[in-house]
Amino acid sequence: MKIVKEFKEFISRGNVIDMAVGIIIGGAFTAIVNSLVSDVVSPVLGLFGTTNLEEFKWVIKEGVAAADGTIEGGVVLAYGSFITAVINFLIMALIVFILVKIITSVTNVFKKKEEEAPAEPTTKICPFCKSEVNIEATKCPHCTSDLTE
């Protein structure tokens, strides 16, 4: 029962909800990046060679054609798929980096505005002994003069 209670507390925290939303948006965003690579980057790279990176393969061992048209028993190193995945990762990492930089700079602007606001004074100077005393003091603790200001 204690584990169930702890799980309910954990799942009801805001961080879990935020993380779930981030994962869902990240999944949708992955589809956009994959489309960018396959529909934009790959055709541009096709100007220099093949139009699809997925076509880059190294056939280590030829397979045998089966009756249904598939090839069985072959060994193929599909390094083009790996290159596509690396490009997807780099684009995703670049976009996340840019987003973090933007969020950090916006946060710093708001922090600077908060820091620039003048703080209320908490002390005052005794007119007799020139010592610093609390703003609410009615008597100087150093020279015992009455502070009637």
Side-chain angles (χ1 to χ4, degrees):
M1 291 302 276
K2 183 178 178 185
I3 293 176
V4 173
K5 181 181 176 186
E6 288 177 7
F7 179 72
K8 284 181 184 179
E9 289 175 8
F10 170 76
I11 208 73
S12 65
R13 287 188 209 163
N15 294 343
V16 173
I17 306 278
D18 293 341
M19 184 179 66
V21 169
I23 290 171
I24 291 168
I25 290 174
F29 191 69
T30 299
I32 293 171
V33 171
N34 287 337
S35 174
L36 174 68
V37 170
S38 63
D39 299 333
V40 177
V41 174
S42 290
V44 170
L45 292 176
L47 295 173
F48 306 105
T50 181
T51 59
N52 188 357
L53 291 174
E54 306 278 331
E55 293 176 7
F56 290 124
K57 298 177 184 174
W58 177 29
V59 179
I60 298 172
K61 178 182 172 190
E62 291 288 332
V64 178
D68 62 354
T70 60
I71 297 179
E72 296 176 354
V75 179
V76 177
L77 185 66
Y79 63 91
S81 297
F82 176 73
I83 292 171
T84 301
V86 169
I87 291 172
N88 286 347
F89 170 77
L90 291 174
I91 291 172
M92 188 75 77
L94 177 66
I95 291 170
V96 169
F97 173 75
I98 290 169
L99 287 174
V100 168
K101 291 289 279 183
I102 290 170
I103 291 169
T104 303
S105 64
V106 168
T107 304
N108 288 341
V109 167
F110 287 119
K111 282 184 181 178
K112 286 181 183 176
K113 286 183 180 179
E114 289 175 4
E115 291 173 1
E116 290 174 2
E120 293 288 324
T122 58
T123 59
K124 60 184 175 182
I125 303 295
C126 173
F128 302 102
C129 69
K130 305 298 184 201
S131 297
E132 191 172 323
V133 288
N134 190 314
I135 194 97
E136 296 176 3
T138 56
K139 201 173 242 330
C140 178
H142 304 284
C143 68
T144 65
S145 300
D146 288 326
L147 303 173
T148 56
E149 297 178 23

